[in-house]
Amino acid sequence: MSVDDRKKVVCQHIDLAWNKGRLALAEQLHSSDFLYKSSFIGRPLDSAGFSRMVQDIRHAMPDLQVVVEECVAEGYKVMTWSTLIGTIQKPALGYPPSDKVLSISAMVYWSLTPGNEIREICTMFDMESFRAQLGLQTRPLAETALP
């Protein structure tokens, strides 16, 4: 399969999981050794853990939409830049509800198998911008560098 096919698999996964909440279908795109890593989750998640996390976030942010701004691929690697847009209507991941419409940038590295199954997703969210949009105190740069 081509790199364009891999990009389509990734975009399909984003749409199924984040935009539509069709998690059983999204899980079918995962390899048996699937791992999800993120800047806001303290440990890697397997396929079932990923689905629970997405379900929890979608429950807290029912108006959530993820827009893929850019998608590039080479070999079995895909990179996406996405914008998550929505309001936190119920507490989520330790953050309070807010009536503010949030816009959160995410850079994501995807690793696929030769059979175009998703093996790994590594996500980096712009958490400082997210915290600032919520009116929460941001962390000084020096503090973020400390363990």
Side-chain angles (χ1 to χ4, degrees):
M1 300 188 116
S2 70
V3 291
D4 285 336
D5 292 330
R6 290 179 197 58
K7 289 167 39 175
K8 287 177 187 174
V9 167
V10 164
C11 290
Q12 178 185 22
H13 187 272
I14 291 168
D15 191 48
L16 286 171
W18 293 101
N19 293 333
K20 295 179 179 168
R22 307 285 307 270
L23 298 168
L25 289 174
E27 279 189 64
Q28 290 179 12
L29 300 174
H30 297 174
S31 68
S32 60
D33 58 346
F34 173 87
L35 277 181
Y36 176 79
K37 301 172 187 172
S38 170
S39 60
F40 71 89
I41 300 291
R43 59 183 168 72
L45 301 175
D46 62 9
S47 189
F50 170 80
S51 290
R52 281 190 300 276
M53 178 204 61
V54 172
Q55 186 176 29
D56 290 347
I57 292 171
R58 286 183 43 78
H59 178 73
M61 299 179 75
D63 61 346
L64 177 67
Q65 286 294 306
V66 176
V67 177
V68 177
E69 308 287 353
E70 188 73 38
C71 182
V72 295
E74 181 178 316
Y76 297 106
K77 299 172 186 167
V78 179
M79 297 292 294
T80 56
W81 163 39
S82 300
T83 304
L84 292 75
I85 303 166
T87 54
I88 301 176
Q89 297 177 15
K90 297 176 184 156
L93 301 170
Y95 291 97
S98 172
D99 59 355
K100 297 177 182 175
V101 177
L102 303 172
S103 175
I104 308 157
S105 290
M107 298 295 295
V108 186
Y109 165 83
W110 305 73
S111 173
L112 281 73
T113 67
N116 277 356
E117 294 175 309
I118 299 169
R119 175 174 286 144
E120 185 175 17
I121 303 172
C122 297
T123 305
M124 179 66 72
F125 290 97
D126 182 355
M127 296 305 290
E128 289 306 300
S129 172
F130 170 69
R131 291 176 58 78
Q133 290 176 62
L134 285 173
L136 301 173
Q137 182 178 356
T138 58
R139 294 172 43 191
L141 183 60
E143 180 185 331
T144 63
L146 299 174

